[in-house]
Each structure stands twice: as C-alpha cells, then as structure tokens.
Amino acid sequence: ILIADSGSTKCAWAICTTYGKILSIQKTSGFNPKYSSFDSITSELSSSKLNSIKSDIKEVYFYGADVHPKVEM
C-alpha cells in the first residue's frame, strides 16, 4: 500500500504493508492537479525511489491539495 500526503510543494509517501505498518517514507515534489501536468507528475515519480517498487504497489491512497472525491447526485 502506498499512502501520499501531498501539498503543492512537497509530498510524503508512506510505503506500507497490507496491514498498515509503515515500512519507509519517501519524499518527492508536491502535486496539485490544478497546476501539475500529467507529464510533470510522471516525470517526478519516474525519477524517484518509488519507481523501483512500482510493481509491488497494489493500492494507492492520495491525499493532496485540490483533490476532491467524486460526488454523484
């Protein structure tokens, strides 16, 4: 499990077991979907240490600036 806590300038990524135990924390630049392009996000993640574990990640929880849940009416 990967849990991200992101602001516009920095992001902390907790790499966790399926039971929620934190194994390590990695840091990257922050992401704000209102201002960050897809290309800038993928470039940052590809050059980070997270890239080496991407095939092991089964779930991602992203908590960040300007991210809202989808609301159906």
Side-chain angles (χ1 to χ4, degrees):
I1 297 174
L2 187 62
I3 302 170
D5 179 11
S6 183
S8 293
T9 59
K10 60 187 173 194
C11 184
W13 300 85
I15 302 163
C16 305
T17 66
T18 55
Y19 299 104
K21 180 181 177 187
I22 297 173
L23 301 174
S24 69
I25 295 178
Q26 300 295 322
K27 297 190 182 219
T28 65
S29 296
F31 306 107
N32 182 321
K34 191 171 188 176
Y35 304 107
S36 302
S37 70
F38 176 81
D39 290 339
S40 69
I41 293 169
T42 55
S43 175
E44 175 68 24
L45 293 177
S46 293
S47 64
S48 75
K49 292 180 181 178
L50 296 171
N51 195 44
S52 65
I53 62 159
K54 68 181 177 185
S55 62
D56 299 328
I57 301 300
K58 305 299 181 221
E59 297 176 50
V60 176
Y61 297 90
F62 187 89
Y63 301 91
D66 212 26
V67 175
H68 307 280
K70 182 178 179 181
V71 177
E72 294 187 30
M73 301 177 116

